[in-house]
Amino acid sequence: MSTIDIPEEHDDIDGIEVIDIRSGDRSKPFEHRVEPVSKTTKAIKFLGQDHPDVQISPAAVRRIAFGAVEPGLLEGARLERHRVETGWLTGITYRAYTLLLSPAIENDRLLDKAHYAADPGSSDDQRVLAMPTSHDTDATLVYADAMDDLFAAIDRASMRVRGNNPQEVGRRIVERPLTAVPATFLNPGRHPDDDLNIVDGNSRWASCTAGIKVRASSISPTTAKDPVPLLPSHLMRLPLAERRDLVRDIVKNAHRDINAATGTSKAARAKRDQAAKLLNAMTVPVQVIVGYTDDNPDMGMRRFPVAVRSLLMRMNIGVKPFDAASQNGVTAEEIVTALFDAGELGDDAQVVRDVLLGRADVTDAMKSLGLNPAFRDLRFTFVVQQLTRKEPRLNAVMAAKLDKRRLQVSHRSGPIVELGLRSYSSLAKETMASVRTALDTGCLWQALADHEWAVENIDNDQAVDDLLERANSDDIPARLLLGVIAMVTLVTSGYLLAPGGSAEQIVGGIKVMRTGVGTVIKTVLDMKEGRQVLADAIKRIRAGLRPQWWADGHLVERDDWKGSDFNAHLRLAANHGFAPEGYQNDLTATELEDKALTAFQASLTTAAANLDDLIAMRKKNGTDTELPWLVVEPSFKQLNFMGKDLARISEDEPR
């Protein structure tokens, strides 16, 4: 028994036709039928024994053949090669039964919304899965999570894309191919230990299956008789042969409904339309990745997961691009994986990788690094430190992943924010939005990349006081560490916000510093009173108390202040210092000149980043025509004049 829920339609005289999906002789009337298993034998032999470029297990070959609408076409099929950053992926394209594919085990679009094991407050039912690893010899993704966790994640992601990105299917067949990859499970329990999982096309799959209902007894051992909505986990629990039989039953029952609903009444036509929509949604074109060749033969299959993900990212630039936060999350994971593969994460590379990614429990990994795993801000600070290291090979890897000609400190911000926030993934949605907005305005400053500094286990008040003492003694690494911990603590607790319109009103109309949170911290960090305020804020916020403010030469409590009040006064102090009344009059001439130089240099950084974005956009769009000289001549002239003007007020370059 199977049904598909269809909203009540208008009176459609023509009705909905079952679309002929055959590739051969169309002279006979078309009836959709699932081929017998005997028809798959030659395809299995061709893919499993006769084709050297197919690098998948016999079980995966069998799934491909069993899922093909016309398995005979797989014999002798041409394999296609796709270039990715690390090598070549090999795929085979055919039309498959929708229900013999499974949705993505991890939906990269949701990386910014998932809960992470690195967050002590995350809940198990929303926690992101561990990243898949590669098989030793096969082009297959390997998942180590428990099957119940995999099922929950797949069902959750599938239900979400049904609502977020519904597709029109049923009146027509799906024509744009999905992309799938073989997967194997290390902890299958009583369930099948392999599948074909989609890496692109989850919305199409979810829309095809959105209204299908089946007998509960056909998908699980139960005595329930009422039809239940079909979930991906229901399919993945079935052995391959039973899963194929389920498809056969659904197809047969749909044709039965069409033949039984005779007549011209609206009810009869609606039943025929319902069955026709179901049949049209039962198949999809799919490209299954069946091989991978790395540019570096010594890597074998190690970079196969990276290659699959890079293909996915390239596919999702047109129809429904990733949100910036999710894309930054994917890019960050690619950066960390590439640094790990290149040996750029130091002697404890596996530990550092696990802490940076934050997908698995980081308790032991943090302890091995000498850091207290209960302190979210310490892990965030470790992410900042690792991804701002100014080392040539590390920077080259990051620049390549970010598609930048020159790596600037601002370019690192997006990936750092997304990895760091995995320690805070259980924050309320509204809180996380304001935190991300504040950090996205600019959470880094140049000194973080210009100086070597390390993350210490600052997990108690005495450690904070000791750090402050060193920071006051012109210890630059200590000062940077103090600044980053304070920034993370203040932003995530709502005391340092993105520049807003009401800040001047809060402080009596005086101009405040309207820059990114990183610049505010960097500026306040250069003041002795500022360092005192930041250190005190770390201690008090960790203890669940409001931070104190500097007034009349000492720290005082401001019980009536909200987060926006502290934010406004910190931005005021960044502009005017910590005078007894919280404001000093005019800056000196030298200070004004320093501010003007800083503003000029910041504008150059922004301009260079904009040029990088333009070049990246042209590359993505395939634009190879040169810009007309008349268009770019004013920019060249302005750059030339600026160079001459700057040379007039600068020392000569040292030789």
Side-chain angles (χ1 to χ4, degrees):
M1 172 183 172
S2 67
T3 63
I4 184 167
D5 290 340
I6 302 293
E8 186 173 346
E9 303 286 348
H10 296 294
D11 195 355
D12 187 349
I13 296 176
D14 295 331
I16 298 173
E17 298 293 332
V18 177
I19 298 174
D20 192 338
I21 56 174
R22 293 174 297 180
S23 59
D25 180 15
R26 295 174 180 267
S27 60
K28 299 178 182 179
F30 172 63
E31 180 173 336
H32 197 147
R33 62 188 297 269
V34 179
E35 296 280 9
V37 172
S38 60
K39 295 285 188 179
T40 66
T41 304
K42 293 182 179 180
I44 292 174
K45 181 177 183 297
F46 171 75
L47 294 176
Q49 302 175 21
D50 300 342
H51 210 301
D53 292 329
V54 176
Q55 301 165 285
I56 55 177
S57 68
V61 168
R62 189 164 175 259
R63 280 194 179 272
I64 291 173
F66 271 44
V69 176
E70 296 178 285
L73 297 181
L74 292 176
E75 184 185 4
R78 181 177 67 89
L79 270 63
E80 305 158 346
R81 282 161 56 88
H82 300 275
R83 179 65 193 170
V84 291
E85 182 180 350
T86 56
W88 293 89
L89 289 169
T90 303
I92 185 170
T93 301
Y94 59 100
R95 195 160 195 93
Y97 287 107
T98 308
L99 302 188
L100 285 168
L101 302 169
S102 295
I105 291 178
E106 188 55 62
N107 194 330
D108 285 332
R109 293 185 188 278
L110 307 178
L111 286 185
D112 61 320
K113 300 176 179 64
H115 285 195
Y116 289 85
D119 180 0
S122 65
S123 59
D124 292 338
D125 61 334
Q126 298 184 57
R127 187 172 290 175
V128 74
L129 302 172
M131 290 182 69
T133 58
S134 58
H135 190 275
D136 290 340
T137 57
D138 297 343
T140 299
L141 297 180
V142 180
Y143 293 88
D145 297 270
M147 288 303 290
D148 286 345
D149 293 336
L150 293 173
F151 291 154
I154 293 170
D155 286 347
R156 186 167 59 246
S158 181
M159 295 297 289
R160 188 167 301 187
V161 297
R162 283 179 186 176
N164 291 350
N165 192 27
Q167 307 287 299
E168 177 59 39
V169 294
R171 288 186 175 274
R172 292 199 52 78
I173 59 174
V174 175
E175 297 173 350
R176 189 159 63 92
L178 289 66
T179 302
V181 63
T184 187
F185 312 120
L186 296 184
N187 300 294
R190 62 185 182 279
H191 307 296
D193 62 0
D194 71 298
D195 209 332
L196 292 178
N197 286 97
I198 300 165
V199 293
D200 178 69
N202 286 279
S203 297
R204 277 160 275 158
W205 189 96
S207 295
C208 285
T209 60
I212 296 178
K213 291 185 177 180
V214 296
R215 287 195 306 268
S217 59
S218 67
I219 55 176
S220 61
T222 177
T223 58
K225 296 181 179 180
D226 294 335
V228 296
L230 182 68
L231 293 173
S233 59
H234 296 152
L235 297 171
M236 295 181 67
R237 286 183 167 93
L238 295 176
L240 179 58
E242 292 183 23
R243 191 164 172 175
R244 199 163 184 264
D245 289 342
L246 175 64
V247 175
R248 179 179 286 109
D249 289 344
I250 292 174
V251 169
K252 286 172 59 177
N253 290 336
H255 276 295
R256 180 203 62 197
D257 290 345
I258 290 175
N259 295 331
T262 58
T264 59
S265 69
K266 185 175 181 179
R269 292 202 308 273
K271 189 161 188 174
R272 291 197 299 270
D273 287 349
Q274 179 181 3
K277 280 191 172 187
L278 176 59
L279 289 171
N280 289 338
M282 270 294 101
T283 69
V284 290
V286 61
Q287 177 189 70
V288 176
I289 304 301
V290 297
Y292 172 64
T293 303
D294 200 288
D295 289 338
N296 180 358
D298 293 337
M299 296 298 290
M301 286 289 174
R302 280 179 57 189
R303 294 195 288 187
F304 177 66
V306 175
V308 171
R309 177 172 264 186
S310 65
L311 179 69
L312 165 68
M313 290 296 293
R314 192 176 69 204
M315 287 177 169
N316 280 281
I317 61 174
V319 178
K320 193 174 186 296
F322 282 10
D323 291 338
S326 291
Q327 182 140 1
N328 282 333
V330 173
T331 301
E333 293 189 344
E334 290 186 345
I335 288 171
V336 173
T337 303
L339 292 174
F340 177 79
D341 290 338
E344 291 299 310
L345 295 182
D347 295 335
D348 296 321
Q350 185 65 54
V351 169
V352 173
R353 175 182 180 272
D354 291 346
V355 171
L356 291 178
L357 293 177
R359 283 177 173 250
D361 188 349
V362 298
T363 301
D364 292 338
M366 288 278 285
K367 287 179 179 178
S368 70
L369 294 173
L371 303 176
N372 190 329
F375 285 76
R376 298 165 162 178
D377 50 17
L378 291 182
R379 180 186 164 272
F380 198 137
T381 302
F382 184 77
V383 172
V384 176
Q385 186 268 334
Q386 285 291 306
L387 297 188
T388 55
R389 289 187 290 132
K390 202 170 186 178
E391 299 175 6
R393 288 186 62 197
L394 181 147
N395 289 351
V397 170
M398 290 188 68
K401 289 295 182 182
L402 292 168
D403 199 19
K404 301 295 183 183
R405 292 178 301 125
R406 299 184 306 273
L407 187 64
Q408 299 171 10
V409 68
S410 60
H411 298 153
R412 309 174 194 244
S413 178
I416 284 175
V417 169
E418 292 311 314
L419 290 181
L421 285 181
R422 292 181 177 182
S423 293
Y424 298 86
S425 61
S426 60
L427 291 180
K429 181 179 179 181
E430 298 76 12
T431 303
M432 179 63 83
S434 65
V435 168
R436 183 174 276 114
T437 299
L439 294 171
D440 285 344
T441 61
C443 64
L444 306 179
W445 58 97
Q446 188 62 46
L448 295 170
D450 288 343
H451 298 275
E452 290 188 8
W453 58 286
V455 183
E456 304 168 23
N457 191 40
I458 310 299
D459 64 347
N460 59 69
D461 289 356
Q462 185 59 55
V464 176
D465 291 338
D466 293 343
L467 182 64
L468 173 61
E469 183 177 352
R470 285 186 283 137
N472 284 334
S473 302
D474 294 328
D475 184 333
I476 299 301
R479 191 170 292 187
L480 294 175
L481 177 57
L482 174 67
V484 176
I485 297 176
M487 179 189 68
V488 173
T489 304
L490 287 167
V491 170
T492 55
S493 58
Y495 289 101
L496 181 54
L497 313 171
S502 62
E504 272 90 2
Q505 298 175 21
I506 292 174
V507 296
I510 306 169
K511 187 175 181 180
V512 304
M513 180 175 282
R514 290 189 168 278
T515 58
V517 295
T519 303
V520 173
I521 290 292
K522 183 259 181 190
T523 306
V524 172
L525 201 59
D526 290 337
M527 309 172 192
K528 185 174 182 179
E529 302 93 335
R531 295 190 290 274
Q532 184 73 49
V533 168
L534 296 181
D536 182 73
I538 294 172
K539 294 188 292 185
R540 288 181 63 86
I541 292 172
R542 283 177 169 180
L545 303 172
R546 292 176 178 173
Q548 299 182 109
W549 188 246
W550 187 268
D552 298 326
H554 62 279
L555 291 166
V556 297
E557 294 190 28
R558 300 292 195 190
D559 293 336
D560 57 335
W561 277 15
K562 297 178 294 186
S564 56
D565 294 295
F566 189 93
N567 172 65
H569 283 83
L570 194 66
R571 290 179 175 276
L572 174 69
N575 247 8
H576 305 291
F578 290 84
E581 299 301 323
Y583 171 68
Q584 69 182 30
N585 292 322
D586 297 333
L587 299 176
T588 66
T590 301
E591 290 171 332
L592 289 171
E593 289 181 12
D594 287 342
K595 288 187 66 176
L597 176 60
T598 300
F600 166 69
Q601 291 173 329
S603 69
L604 290 181
T605 299
T606 301
N610 290 338
L611 179 58
D612 286 336
D613 291 340
L614 172 62
I615 293 171
M617 193 178 302
R618 286 169 57 87
K619 180 179 178 181
K620 183 181 291 186
N621 295 337
T623 305
D624 54 11
T625 55
E626 295 180 340
L627 295 170
W629 174 251
L630 288 176
V631 174
V632 297
E633 181 180 14
S635 298
F636 275 110
K637 286 185 175 180
Q638 186 173 6
L639 290 171
N640 185 39
F641 290 145
M642 289 170 62
K644 292 178 180 178
D645 291 342
L646 183 61
R648 280 198 293 270
I649 62 173
S650 305
E651 295 178 350
D652 292 336
E653 182 179 359
R655 296 192 178 187

